[in-house]
Amino acid sequence: MSVRYSSLDGAGVLISGGASGIGAEMVRQFAAQGAKVSFLDIDDDAAEDLVAETGARYLHCDLTDIAALRAAVTAADAAWPTKVMINNAARDNRHAVGDVEPELWRRTLALNLDHQFFGAQAIAKPMAARGGGSIVLMGSVSWMRARPGMVGYTTAKAAINGMTRTLAREWGEGGVRVNCIVPGAVLTERQASLWRSPEIDAGIQTAQALKIVLSPPHVAAMAVFLGSDEAAGCTGQNFVVDAGISLN
């Protein structure tokens, strides 16, 4: 990394969905800053590899089980008082509008929206009691671009925009900052294996203002900044990391 944030050295950081993809890169970058990083996931094999690589602390947690999520947040905070929480976990499964039934709808919101609120809710009070902290939610440009084939996902990600602003207002007096990172077409292993192709990649490059391949480090670098004291004046905002694709 080219930037060192002294405020993160020794700081407690909690990341959901941290075993792979963007979340794993966040674990790496916060650990490189000297932070005490805990992460939540259900992929034990990937998590064990990341623990060995970074020295982070892993807590197995199904984020759709809100009681388990609350318990994991409390346990992580007790071990290393949380200064930064990143609600990263998401699942952008494709689904046709006509195929959506109530069970799929609720499952999609649980995977992409519910845990972001309840995770933030669980950590906000202890953060405020210690004088504040930084909560980062994760959005997506998919709803801004009206992407088809994922209406549950885009609905959840659009809702996070409003939730970010409301929580920032609710918890600001306690010194708790709440911001949202809005990634674009980030190339992760999951995206490469399920959705991306040379044709799709070419279309993405055409649509982006910056002709680069967005990857997890681009997003993780923004998370590290928002967790640091250098972002002390930032709350209630969307920070778009999309190489300009949402300009179209």
Side-chain angles (χ1 to χ4, degrees):
M1 295 184 65
S2 60
V3 178
R4 186 77 176 181
Y5 298 104
S6 60
S7 61
L8 293 175
D9 191 11
V13 176
L14 178 58
I15 300 168
S16 73
S20 62
I22 294 171
E25 183 60 25
M26 290 178 178
V27 171
R28 293 186 185 98
Q29 290 202 21
F30 275 104
Q33 293 287 339
K36 297 179 178 178
V37 184
S38 301
F39 67 97
L40 312 179
D41 213 294
I42 57 173
D43 188 342
D44 295 339
D45 291 339
E48 289 174 6
D49 291 341
L50 190 60
V51 168
E53 176 188 345
T54 64
R57 184 168 181 261
Y58 169 56
L59 293 86
H60 181 101
C61 180
D62 178 355
L63 297 173
T64 65
D65 181 342
I66 300 303
L69 170 60
R70 285 170 165 165
V73 171
T74 299
D77 191 59
W80 292 331
T82 305
K83 179 177 181 176
V84 182
M85 182 176 187
I86 315 290
N87 289 287
N88 164 73
R91 205 72 172 169
D92 61 342
N93 293 336
R94 275 37 174 185
H95 44 264
V97 173
D99 294 338
V100 175
E101 296 293 338
E103 182 178 357
L104 173 61
W105 184 256
R106 286 305 325 155
R107 175 72 175 168
T108 303
L109 295 186
L111 288 168
N112 295 292
L113 175 63
D114 295 357
H115 72 86
Q116 296 215 40
F117 171 74
F118 288 106
Q121 181 195 56
I123 203 59
K125 186 174 181 179
M127 267 188 181
R130 292 189 290 266
S134 174
I135 296 173
V136 178
L137 309 181
M138 293 295 289
S140 169
V141 297
S142 60
W143 73 268
M144 298 178 180
R145 303 184 68 222
R147 299 302 299 166
M150 51 170 69
V151 64
Y153 179 80
T154 57
T155 298
K157 292 302 187 178
I160 291 165
N161 180 39
M163 184 166 69
T164 299
R165 295 176 63 80
T166 296
L167 296 184
R169 178 68 71 183
E170 290 273 358
W171 296 334
E173 289 188 6
V176 177
R177 300 185 286 112
V178 185
N179 290 290
C180 180
I181 298 176
V182 184
V186 179
L187 183 60
T188 64
E189 290 183 2
R190 172 177 163 81
Q191 295 296 318
S193 65
L194 294 177
W195 321 122
R196 300 286 282 264
S197 68
E199 293 77 19
I200 289 175
D201 287 348
I204 289 170
Q205 292 291 299
T206 299
Q208 290 179 174
L210 299 175
K211 308 307 178 184
I212 62 174
V213 177
L214 278 177
S215 61
H218 292 108
V219 182
M222 180 61 75
V224 171
F225 166 70
L226 290 174
S228 75
D229 288 354
E230 276 65 31
C234 303
T235 196
Q237 303 303 312
N238 282 324
F239 290 83
V240 181
V241 184
D242 74 343
I245 200 170
S246 61
L247 295 173
N248 295 325

